[in-house]
Amino acid sequence: TPLIISKGKIQFHQVTFHHDEGRHLFKNNSIVIEGGQKIGLVGFTGSGKSTFVSLILRLFEVESGEITIDDQNIKHVTQQSLREQIALIPQDITLFYRTLMENIRFGNIKATDEQIIKIAKRAHCHEFISQLPQGYQSLVGERGMKLSAGQRQRIAIARAMLKNAPILILDEATSSLDSITEQYVQNALSLIMQ
């Protein structure tokens, strides 16, 4: 069945999970994240922060226990509906060898050019896009290599803003940025979190 979100409450109920190495990353892990709540996961490299996110997105299946969103077991909802309700801004942004307009539109394929430009302004992308010779029609290169890390992050934020999903997940979204670019990104993130 499709996932229907009313509050966005995420619960881990006695979740156990391990990767192939055999060591349990989570064992009978239970946590409640209320809808509208902002939380941060802090831990050493390899402690399971990205895996926690991957479990919510069902990129991995839990070994035992269950994960629910608004009391709906994510194992019993369609993956498409689950991922439509979650906007993810990862540490390593994937851009397609397409134009900037198309890369932002990936957040909502029905969006008009005008909506994309409006969102790009809010995400602090419009300034650097406007300076490119072909503007929004500029190709980003393979995996977005023609753009800096900060520019790729802002494109990902624009995508997430355009998607306007009820759940937002940031996976170390500012870890590779300089302090000035990080300030732009933090401003854009504060807008999307509203």
Side-chain angles (χ1 to χ4, degrees), residues 43-121:
F44 295 108
T45 300
S47 63
K49 298 180 302 292
S50 292
T51 301
F52 186 88
V53 169
S54 296
L55 288 171
I56 294 171
L57 292 165
R58 273 191 68 201
L59 299 176
F60 302 128
E61 296 292 345
V62 298
E63 186 179 319
S64 65
E66 65 179 20
I67 300 170
T68 62
I69 299 178
D70 287 342
D71 299 319
Q72 299 158 84
N73 187 333
I74 63 170
K75 194 172 187 173
H76 302 302
V77 300
T78 63
Q79 284 193 346
Q80 181 178 344
S81 70
L82 173 67
R83 293 177 186 162
E84 283 173 353
Q85 302 293 337
I86 300 172
L88 171 68
I89 303 175
Q91 180 179 2
D92 184 28
I93 306 301
T94 301
L95 295 182
F96 302 102
Y97 190 29
R98 313 295 283 172
T99 66
L100 283 163
M101 183 71 78
E102 291 170 306
N103 268 286
I104 296 171
R105 185 174 278 122
F106 186 66
N108 176 359
I109 58 171
K110 296 177 182 173
T112 65
D113 290 358
E114 292 76 23
Q115 288 172 312
I116 290 170
I117 292 168
K118 181 179 177 183
I119 288 291
K121 288 177 181 176

Side-chain angles (χ1 to χ4, degrees), residues 145-158:
M145 295 313 292
K146 290 185 178 181
L147 301 177
S148 72
Q151 289 169 334
R152 289 193 301 271
Q153 287 288 28
R154 286 182 270 175
I155 295 297
I157 290 168

Side-chain angles (χ1 to χ4, degrees), residues 114-134:
E114 292 76 23
Q115 288 172 312
I116 290 170
I117 292 168
K118 181 179 177 183
I119 288 291
K121 288 177 181 176
R122 292 181 68 207
H124 300 283
C125 301
H126 184 73
E127 300 87 357
F128 76 80
I129 292 173
S130 299
Q131 293 174 1
L132 297 171
Q134 290 151 335

Side-chain angles (χ1 to χ4, degrees), residues 179-192:
S179 57
I180 294 170
T181 305
E182 184 174 359
Q183 186 60 50
Y184 282 129
V185 170
Q186 292 288 1
N187 291 343
L189 289 175
S190 66
L191 285 173
I192 191 174

